[in-house]
Amino acid sequence: MNTALPLPARRTSPGVFVALALTLTVGWLVVAVDGGQLFSQSTTVSLLHVATGLGLVAVGQTLVIIGGSLDLSVAYVVSLSTLVAAQTMNGDGGALLPAIGLTLAVSAAIGLLNGLLVTKARMNAFIATVGVGLLLKGYLENGYDGPAGKTAPALVQSLGYQRLGPVPVSFLLLLAVAAAAWLALARTRFGHHLMAVGGDPEVARLSGVRNGRVLVAAHVLCSLCAGVAGIYLASRLGSGAPRVGTEGLYDLESIAAVVLGGTALAGGRGGVLGTLGGVLLLASIDAIFNQLEVDAFFKQVIRGVIIIAAVAIYARRALRKAAS
C-alpha cells in the first residue's frame, strides 16, 4: 500500500473573485441608477467593518473544514468573548491586556473541548459543536438580559474606529490573521498534516500523522479566531453583547463564506484566500442591499440562492473531475 501523504491542494478557485468583481460592478450600476453611491467612503468603511467580524470567524472555520470537521459553536463563542472582554476591562485601560488574555484563554478552552469531543469521544463534529453551542447559549440566556461590562476606551478608539484612510485598523487585523493562517497551511507541517487528514484520514494515520492532535489544534485555532472576533465586536459596541454572535449568524455565514471561497466541505482542499473572497462577496451584497434599502427577508433569500448556486457549481466540478 502506498502510504505517502497527498500533496496539499492549496490552489484557490478564482471563481469567487470573478463573482465579487461582477457583484461590485453590477451593484455600482444599480445603486448609481437609484441615485446612490456604492463606493463612497462611508459605505466602504461599513463594508470592511462587516467583512472584519465575519472574516475573523471564517478564517478559523476554514481550518476545521479543511481538516474534515466543522464548528457550529462559533456564534456563541463570539458572544461570550465580547462579555468576557468587556466585563474584565470594565472601562479600565489598565485591564486591557489581561482582558484580551482571558478572552483568548476561554476561547481556546472551548475549542479544546470541541476538539476532544470530536477526536477522543468520536462524536460527529456537527453534533459535538452544536451541543457545546447549546451549553453556551444556556449560560448566556440565563446569565444576561442585555449588554454588560464596558470596553476600555483605548480599545474602542484603536480597534473599533481608527482608520488608515478608508481602511479600518480592524480590517488590517483580519488581513494579519488571514496571512498567519495562510502561512500555517502553506508552509508548516501542521498545514500539510491538516490537508492530509481532511483528504484521507486513514492514509494520513498510516503515514504517521496524529490525526487527533491535528484536529484538536484546528478546533482550538478556530475558537481563538472567534475570540478575536468577539474582542473586535466589543470594541465596536463598547460593551459585551450576549446575542451579537447569533444575531450576526456568524456560524452559518462563516461556513457560507468558506464554501463560496472554494473550500470543500468534505475537507482536504481549500484555502484562506478564497475564504476572504467569500467574506468580501457576502459583505458586498449586504452593502448593495443596504444602499437599495432592500427588505431584510428578501435579502436573506437572495443570499441563500447565491450560496446554493455556488455549492451546486462546485459539486458539479468535483463530479466532472472524479469522472475524468
Side-chain angles (χ1 to χ4, degrees):
M1 178 185 293
N2 182 12
T3 60
L5 283 173
L7 290 176
R10 300 188 183 104
R11 292 190 301 172
T12 301
S13 170
V16 66
F17 296 101
V18 174
L20 176 60
L22 289 173
T23 299
L24 289 174
T25 302
V26 174
W28 173 75
L29 290 172
V30 174
V31 171
V33 170
D34 193 55
Q37 285 187 326
L38 180 60
F39 297 119
S40 64
Q41 178 166 301
S42 60
T43 303
T44 301
V45 170
S46 176
L47 186 156
L48 294 179
H49 273 302
V50 171
T52 298
L54 175 59
L56 288 169
V57 180
V59 167
Q61 193 75 257
T62 303
L63 298 178
V64 290
I65 290 178
I66 284 177
S69 190
L70 193 69
D71 191 342
L72 289 171
S73 69
V74 287
Y76 300 102
V77 176
V78 169
S79 297
L80 180 63
S81 296
T82 67
L83 292 162
V84 173
Q87 289 187 298
T88 305
M89 293 178 209
N90 202 25
D92 181 9
L96 177 59
L97 291 181
I100 292 174
L102 179 59
T103 302
L104 295 180
V106 170
S107 301
I110 296 170
L112 178 62
L113 175 60
N114 282 331
L116 291 176
L117 288 175
V118 171
T119 58
K120 298 300 182 182
R122 299 190 180 280
M123 293 179 63
N124 178 274
F126 180 92
I127 300 300
T129 58
V130 165
V132 170
L134 291 176
L135 290 175
L136 297 177
K137 178 184 179 182
Y139 170 75
L140 293 171
E141 290 186 349
N142 291 324
Y144 299 93
D145 294 324
K150 184 178 180 182
T151 311
L155 185 64
V156 173
Q157 293 170 5
S158 58
L159 186 62
Y161 291 92
Q162 187 174 352
R163 303 196 312 260
L164 297 177
V167 181
V169 169
S170 56
F171 187 74
L172 299 179
L173 171 64
L174 167 61
L175 294 181
V177 171
W182 179 85
L183 286 172
L185 286 173
R187 296 287 186 267
T188 68
R189 179 179 297 179
F190 164 75
H192 189 95
H193 287 177
L194 186 64
M195 289 281 189
V197 170
D200 193 324
E202 183 62 19
V203 171
R205 185 186 66 80
L206 293 174
S207 300
V209 176
R210 296 182 176 180
N211 295 12
R213 288 190 179 184
V214 172
L215 282 180
V216 168
H219 274 283
V220 170
L221 290 174
C222 180
S223 289
L224 280 173
C225 287
V228 174
I231 294 171
Y232 158 69
L233 290 173
S235 74
R236 290 285 294 172
L237 299 171
S239 64
R243 297 174 183 83
V244 67
T246 51
E247 289 176 353
L249 299 175
Y250 285 111
D251 43 6
L252 300 180
E253 294 259 322
S254 63
I255 295 172
V258 172
V259 173
L260 286 172
T263 295
L265 275 174
R269 178 172 59 83
V272 174
L273 184 60
T275 295
L276 284 181
V279 166
L280 290 173
L281 177 59
L282 292 176
S284 298
I285 293 170
D286 267 347
I288 293 167
F289 285 169
N290 288 338
Q291 285 287 307
L292 297 174
E293 299 181 351
V294 173
D295 178 77
F297 171 76
F298 183 69
K299 178 169 66 174
Q300 293 302 328
V301 170
I302 295 297
R303 289 161 70 90
V305 169
I306 291 173
I307 292 167
I308 291 172
V311 173
I313 291 171
Y314 291 139
R316 292 196 59 160
R317 287 180 179 175
L319 289 174
R320 288 176 182 175
K321 289 180 179 179
S324 62

